[in-house]
Amino acid sequence: MKAWRRLSKSVSPNGRTVELHIDADVLAMNVNGRACRSIWRDDNGRVMIIDQTRLPHDFECLAIDTLEDAEIAIRDMQVRGAPLIGACAAYGLALALKKGDVDIDQACSRLLATRPTAVNLSWALNRLRHHLSEQPATANQVAAAFGEADRIANEDVAINSRIGDHGLELIRRRFETTDSTVNILTHCNAGWLATVDWGTALAPIYKAHDAKIPVHVWVDETRPRNQGAALTTWELMNHGVPCTLIADNAGGHLMQQGQVDLCIVGSDRTIANGDVCNKIGTYLKALAAYDNNVPFYVALPTSTIDRDLADSNGIPIEERNPREVLEITGANGELRSSICVAPTGTRAANPAFDITPARLVTGYITELGAGRLPDL
Ligand code: MRU
C-alpha cells in the first residue's frame, strides 16, 4: 500500500490563496511522482480541490469554503466526473451547515441544479441528509455532516480500488490468451480525477500496469471539452502508463484493424435494465465495438446505479453552452486562449451525454465484481 507523501505548493487561483498540504496513510495516484487525491481536507480541515479547468497546463488547487464555492466548482467543472461531483456536493452541504441558519432543502436544490445527469450528486446528498436525520438532537450537526462527507470520499477510494481489482482480472485474462500488450480504448476521463482516487474505467488499467501486465491505452480526445486529451492523457502519463491520444472518430477504424482488445468506459447514470448514460460519444464507440466483436465494459460504483428510473429516456441529458463546440481552448506557453473553429453566427448544439443500450454492453465492473449489473 502506497502512503501519501506531503505535497506543498502555494497557489492563488481566482483570488483564493492556499497552501496545499496532503498527508495521509491511504492509497493514492500520482502527480509528478507525488501522491494526490482530487478532493481532500487540509491540515486545517479546509476542503481542497484540484482546479481541473487548468489542467493539463497548470496544476492549481482551490479551497472550497462555502456552498457557493461548491456550486461554482461543480457547475464550471473545476471538479467533474460522477463520483467526484457527489463528494464535492456532500462537502458543499456540510459547508452550508457550517455557515449556520441554513435551509437544507434550499442548499440541496442549489447543488442539484449545478449538473443534472450524474446520479451520484443526488445519491450523496440523500445519504448525507439521511445521516443527519439519524443524529440525536444534541449532536453537532456540522461535525456529523463533515464526518459523513469524509466517509463518502474515503469510501469512494476503496470502492474504486475494488473496481480496479475486478477489472484487472479481465485484463489479465486477455493478456494470458494473447501474450501481448493489451490495447484498451477509453472515452472521456473516468480516471482518478473523475472520482476521489483511482478512477472507475482507469482503475483496472492502473492495477494492470502496476501488476506489470503490458497495457496500452487509446485515449479518445472527447470533444467538445477534451477531457480525454487534457485529463486522461495527463493522468496516465503521470502514472507511466503507455497511451496514445486519438481523434474521437478514429476508434471505429482502430477496432476494424484489430488494434483494440477491449473498451472500458465510465458511467454517469446506469439504470436497472443496464442502459448506460455516459459522456457524449460513448454510444458510437459501443456500436463500433459491437460490430467488431470488441468487448465493451462499463466500470461504475454501485452509487451510479439509478434504481428509480425504468426507462433511460427519463435520464436528464445536460445541454451545455454551445461555445464549447464553437471554440477550442488551449495554451501556447503561458498564454491560454479559446479560438473559434466555425464561421461567425454558426448555430451549435451541445448535448453532453448519451445513452448506450444494455445490449451493446459486454459487462459491468463494480466494486462487487465483473459481469452482470448487480441486483441491489
Ligand atoms: O462532463 P464530465 O467530464 O463530468 O463527464 C464525465 C464522464 O462522463 C465520466 O465518464 C463519468 O462521470 C464516469 S467517471 C468515473
Side-chain angles (χ1 to χ4, degrees), residues 257-269:
Q257 299 294 309
Q259 295 192 61
V260 181
D261 295 305
L262 53 130
C263 301
I264 312 180
V265 300
S267 172
D268 287 82
R269 194 185 294 233

Side-chain angles (χ1 to χ4, degrees), residues 57-293:
H57 311 293
D58 303 301
F59 181 77
E60 291 185 353
C61 302
L62 287 176
I64 301 290
D65 290 329
T66 62
L67 168 67
E68 193 188 11
D69 287 347
E71 273 183 284
I72 293 170
I74 300 171
R75 193 191 59 224
D76 294 353
M77 294 179 66
Q78 290 169 328
V79 292
R80 25 72 49 205
L84 178 55
I85 290 172
C88 188
Y91 281 120
L93 184 54
L95 287 162
L97 284 164
K98 186 178 170 191
K99 192 170 172 226
D101 193 24
V102 64
D103 178 332
I104 294 192
D105 285 337
Q106 209 178 54
C108 286
S109 304
R110 283 172 59 176
L111 288 161
L112 283 169
T114 52
R115 295 197 72 192
T117 302
V119 77
N120 306 61
L121 208 164
S122 56
W123 171 86
L125 292 174
N126 287 340
R127 174 169 157 174
L128 190 45
R129 293 187 71 161
H130 179 72
H131 179 72
L132 292 175
S133 72
E134 291 200 318
Q135 298 305 304
T138 51
N140 178 335
Q141 293 280 307
V142 176
F146 275 104
E148 189 65 359
D150 287 342
R151 268 188 294 279
I152 287 172
N154 288 330
E155 281 174 24
D156 186 62
V157 182
I159 284 168
N160 297 327
S161 176
R162 294 298 296 155
I163 289 173
D165 293 336
H166 295 304
L168 162 66
E169 293 315 315
L170 294 172
I171 298 173
R172 194 195 302 281
R173 277 207 292 279
R174 179 76 199 190
F175 174 62
E176 284 170 357
T177 352
T178 59
D179 201 26
S180 60
T181 299
V182 183
N183 288 293
I184 301 165
L185 183 140
T186 192
H187 191 68
C188 194
N189 172 262
W192 68 265
L193 288 168
T195 63
V196 178
D197 208 344
W198 281 110
T200 55
L202 296 195
I205 294 170
Y206 289 127
K207 296 258 179 175
H209 176 79
D210 291 351
K212 307 263 182 293
I213 296 171
V215 286
H216 164 261
V217 185
W218 295 111
V219 181
D220 284 348
E221 60 180 347
T222 319
R223 275 284 285 153
R225 285 189 67 97
N226 285 322
Q227 288 95 327
L231 306 177
T232 302
T233 50
W234 182 83
E235 268 195 34
L236 291 170
M237 288 164 74
N238 265 302
H239 201 79
V241 179
C243 60
T244 306
L245 178 64
I246 51 173
D248 285 328
N249 297 328
H253 165 74
L254 292 170
M255 290 185 215
Q256 283 177 327
Q257 299 294 309
Q259 295 192 61
V260 181
D261 295 305
L262 53 130
C263 301
I264 312 180
V265 300
S267 172
D268 287 82
R269 194 185 294 233
T270 290
I271 66 167
N273 75 356
D275 288 357
V276 173
C277 181
N278 192 48
K279 181 52 57 193
I280 194 80
T282 303
Y283 170 51
L284 287 177
K285 293 304 142 69
L287 278 174
Y290 191 77
D291 196 42
N292 290 283
N293 285 320

Side-chain angles (χ1 to χ4, degrees), residues 314-369:
I315 298 177
I317 302 291
E318 180 179 10
E319 185 73 32
R320 292 192 61 85
N321 193 325
R323 280 186 57 184
E324 293 178 353
V325 179
L326 295 168
E327 297 175 359
I328 197 152
T329 304
N332 186 357
E334 290 295 295
L335 189 68
R336 292 175 63 88
S337 59
S338 296
I339 53 166
C340 198
V341 291
T344 308
T346 302
R347 193 166 55 211
N350 191 7
F353 297 93
D354 62 21
I355 309 290
T356 298
R359 68 188 158 79
L360 301 179
V361 178
T362 309
Y364 304 84
I365 311 168
T366 72
E367 68 272 27
L368 303 176

